């Protein structure tokens, strides 16, 4: 399975921009990179998905370099409710892999 | 449109028993994937089904099995339960296989406790 690596935890403050990077090797040529947010005892919620360069939606941006071996989720102006675990997902040659997740803690 | 539903939401079993969990995907979705989530391990991929066929399987013992029906609903079964099988089991559905442009949408999960 494709291996992904994310920081275990990050801290920030309300109103700041937060960037979380995921490293992924063995990503298949046609596969997309997807990020999810998860709150305790709930299923992961889709945030954003991309293939290359930059993707932006109403809640986040996703930056993917040309070699696609990593991706960076950018959350603008975070609030306390953004405290959660964030996962990146890629499909490797043998199936689907989530990273260990990044526990983002937002402080007032 | 209704989201992914999983039943039951909570389950308590004892070692050696078996359990069956159910997942109903979003209407129109043909792919269903199953994941196990335990503290410290994050989300681990179990298997993926598309059109009633298992297309991918994660690194889990044969005690874990699944199937998909013609209406895309899926079940997973765990036999001879062990204490380490206590986890949140998540189901996700998508229009087609895995990622690519087919975004996976997750259900609320089934919390299994093995005593």
């Amino acid at each position: 399975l494709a291996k992904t690596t994310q920081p275990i935890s990050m801290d920030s403050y309300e109103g700041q921009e937060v960037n979380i990077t995921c490293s992924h090797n063995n990503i298949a040529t046609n596969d997309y990179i997807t990020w999810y947010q998860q709150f305790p005892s709930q299923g992961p919620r889709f945030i954003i998905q991309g293939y290359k360069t930059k993707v932006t939606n109403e809640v986040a941006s996703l930056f993917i370099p040309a070699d696609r071996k990593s991706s960076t989720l950018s959350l603008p102006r975070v609030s306390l409710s953004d405290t959660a675990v964030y996962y990146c997902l890629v499909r490797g040659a043998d199936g689907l892999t989530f990273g260990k997740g990044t526990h983002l803690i937002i402080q007032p | 449109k209704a989201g992914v539903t999983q039943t039951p939401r909570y389950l308590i079993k004892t070692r050696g028993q078996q359990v069956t969990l159910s997942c109903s995907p979003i209407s129109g979705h043909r792919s269903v994937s199953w994941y196990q989530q335990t503290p410290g391990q994050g989300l681990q991929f179990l298997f993926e089904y598309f059109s009633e066929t298992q297309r991918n399987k994660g690194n889990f013992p044969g005690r874990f099995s699944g199937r998909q029906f013609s209406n895309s609903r899926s079940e997973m079964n765990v036999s001879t339960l062990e204490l380490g099988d206590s986890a949140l089991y998540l189901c996700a559905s998508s229009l087609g296989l895995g990622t690519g442009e087919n975004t996976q949408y997750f259900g609320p999960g089934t919390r299994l406790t093995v005593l």
Side-chain angles (χ1 to χ4, degrees):
Chain A
L1 297 177
K3 180 179 178 179
T4 60
T5 304
Q6 299 175 238
I8 295 174
S9 64
M10 294 180 67
D11 294 323
S12 189
Y13 295 90
E14 283 192 292
Q16 299 295 306
E17 177 184 79
V18 172
N19 296 310
I20 307 174
T21 297
C22 176
S23 299
H24 28 76
N25 58 12
N26 298 329
I27 183 172
T29 302
N30 297 326
D31 286 329
Y32 283 60
I33 298 151
T34 312
W35 283 79
Y36 289 85
Q37 175 193 57
Q38 188 179 28
F39 298 109
S41 298
Q42 295 184 24
R45 183 177 73 96
F46 171 80
I47 301 174
I48 196 167
Q49 176 172 275
Y51 182 78
K52 61 180 180 180
T53 62
K54 178 183 176 182
V55 179
T56 298
N57 62 20
E58 64 276 10
V59 298
S61 294
L62 180 59
F63 300 91
I64 305 170
D67 66 7
R68 302 196 340 118
K69 292 185 183 298
S70 66
S71 59
T72 298
L73 174 71
S74 180
L75 304 171
R77 298 180 299 281
V78 294
S79 64
L80 295 177
S81 63
D82 291 318
T83 293
V85 179
Y86 292 81
Y87 293 96
C88 71
L89 170 64
V90 299
R91 172 192 281 277
D94 298 324
L96 301 161
T97 301
F98 271 81
K100 293 281 189 190
T102 298
H103 190 190
L104 176 64
I105 299 172
I106 305 301
Q107 301 180 45
Chain B
K1 185 182 284 190
V4 178
T5 58
Q6 293 186 244
T7 56
R9 292 293 312 279
Y10 302 92
L11 204 52
I12 299 175
K13 293 285 188 178
T14 57
R15 281 181 298 174
Q17 287 186 308
Q18 74 167 23
V19 65
T20 299
L21 311 180
S22 181
C23 172
S24 293
I26 292 171
S27 178
H29 285 193
R30 297 173 62 193
S31 174
V32 172
S33 297
W34 289 90
Y35 296 83
Q36 181 196 65
Q37 185 172 34
T38 56
Q41 292 297 318
L43 281 147
Q44 293 185 288
F45 171 68
L46 279 158
F47 23 67
E48 176 182 32
Y49 286 88
F50 180 78
S51 294
E52 303 177 64
T53 302
Q54 188 179 89
R55 302 302 178 112
N56 278 300
K57 190 177 189 301
N59 188 26
F60 278 81
R63 299 185 297 107
F64 292 82
S65 63
R67 60 178 175 170
Q68 186 180 34
F69 302 95
S70 58
N71 61 359
S72 295
R73 190 177 69 85
S74 177
E75 290 181 347
M76 67 162 284
N77 183 277
V78 187
S79 62
T80 319
L81 284 166
E82 301 177 359
L83 295 178
D85 296 332
S86 294
L88 181 66
Y89 289 88
L90 291 157
C91 167
S93 77
S94 60
L95 283 169
L97 279 171
T99 55
E101 294 186 87
N102 296 306
T103 303
Q104 291 192 330
Y105 296 93
F106 283 81
T110 295
R111 172 72 64 185
L112 172 64
T113 302
V114 182
L115 303 176

